[in-house]
Amino acid sequence: MSASDVNLQYVPTWCPGCGNFGIFNSLKKAFATLQLDLEQTVLVNGIGCSSKIGQYVNCYRIETLHGRSLPVATGVKLANHSLTVIAEGGDGDGMGLGMGHFVHTARRNLDISYFIHNNQVYGLTKGQTSPTSEPGMLTKFTPPPLGNVERPVNIVDMAISLGASFVARSYTGDMNHLADMMAQAISHRGFAVLDILQPCVSFNAINTYAWYQQRVRRIAETHDPENRDQARALAGLWGDEIPVGVFLREERPTFADSLAQLKDGPLASRPLEGADISGLMEELA
């Protein structure tokens, strides 16, 4: 399989220069690198510019409600835990309405990859500040002199503290690095969070390609991703230097490992002969 096999016939409608193009191309490269079986791969999206990516990828796809990609991905994974399940969406989708689901997916360590397109603004709805927007950011909804007065969510730091077992960050302007981080996240057995820094060329005049080019730094090879304290210290860095790479990698049982109902194989492949749910239906009637 090559990266082009992941394409559908639809032409992406993102703004020219949008960071989503780099994320899309990196995703295709990661699929090809891992030689994923596209008929055994499921992409689950929420709502937003980021979530349109599901309309362009040649695998099974579910477009859910705003902020609801993770609970749907959870259901898919538990019904058939032999599938490769990837949830994808924006910082507004996942860190706003989806925050509660993010917390519980992380602490359960579900075997799902979660790619967060972090452009620090709500782009599809014309530029409101999001949960990751910089303090002081001026928009028509957060006017001068103060601009945005809320503190931003640090996705990496939060994912580590909540219990995600793989936590990384990358940048859409470095597609080789991003494709590598995606491949590592998909290969990881457990909840893998990838914070993807992505300029919004229409509504975010602060976090531009030039702004990131001056600040993004790859994590040194001396970093031990199995050291949680070291990972959290690194996650706290933001500003003149923004680290990208693998912060944390931890091996521990997944949520499905603890469920006796799944030990005999995926629920989706169980025989239906003899199954009788009439009692349940009567109870629910």
Side-chain angles (χ1 to χ4, degrees), residues 204-250:
N204 188 339
I206 299 174
N207 311 106
T208 63
Y209 286 101
W211 190 89
Y212 280 122
Q213 290 294 121
Q214 295 171 2
R215 291 166 173 80
V216 168
R217 302 283 185 275
R218 292 192 182 189
I219 294 173
E221 293 182 358
T222 53
H223 171 61
D224 177 11
E226 296 182 1
N227 187 319
R228 180 173 286 271
D229 292 337
Q230 200 177 96
R232 289 209 66 181
L234 198 59
L237 297 178
W238 183 270
D240 293 337
E241 180 177 346
I242 301 175
V244 295
V246 178
F247 290 73
L248 178 76
R249 183 189 294 110
E250 183 178 78

Side-chain angles (χ1 to χ4, degrees), residues 20 23 50 53 88-91 115-119 194 196 198:
N20 279 316
I23 297 173
S50 54
I53 195 170
E88 201 148 353
D91 47 288
F115 298 159
I116 305 169
H117 303 212
N118 184 6
N119 62 8
L194 178 56
I196 305 172
Q198 174 219 343

Side-chain angles (χ1 to χ4, degrees), residues 85-223:
V85 180
I86 302 167
E88 201 148 353
D91 47 288
D93 182 69
M95 299 296 106
L97 277 174
M99 176 61 86
H101 302 301
F102 181 64
V103 170
H104 299 297
T105 309
R107 70 185 183 85
R108 290 169 182 153
N109 196 34
L110 281 143
D111 186 17
I112 294 170
S113 302
Y114 188 29
F115 298 159
I116 305 169
H117 303 212
N118 184 6
N119 62 8
Q120 296 163 274
V121 75
Y122 283 95
L124 190 66
T125 49
K126 310 304 181 190
Q128 300 95 335
T129 54
S130 83
T132 61
S133 296
E134 301 275 348
M137 182 176 180
L138 299 178
T139 72
K140 55 187 173 184
F141 309 98
T142 53
L146 296 178
N148 178 37
V149 297
E150 298 179 350
R151 296 182 62 177
V153 168
N154 182 326
I155 295 174
V156 169
D157 187 44
M158 190 168 56
I160 294 171
S161 65
L162 291 174
S165 54
F166 179 95
V167 182
R169 180 190 286 139
S170 191
Y171 166 51
T172 188
D174 186 350
M175 289 190 287
N176 287 331
H177 183 266
L178 177 54
D180 178 45
M181 291 297 105
M182 287 178 164
Q184 289 194 47
I186 295 169
S187 300
H188 176 75
R189 193 169 182 278
F191 190 50
V193 177
L194 178 56
D195 178 22
I196 305 172
L197 305 175
Q198 174 219 343
C200 174
V201 295
S202 296
F203 296 108
N204 188 339
I206 299 174
N207 311 106
T208 63
Y209 286 101
W211 190 89
Y212 280 122
Q213 290 294 121
Q214 295 171 2
R215 291 166 173 80
V216 168
R217 302 283 185 275
R218 292 192 182 189
I219 294 173
E221 293 182 358
T222 53
H223 171 61

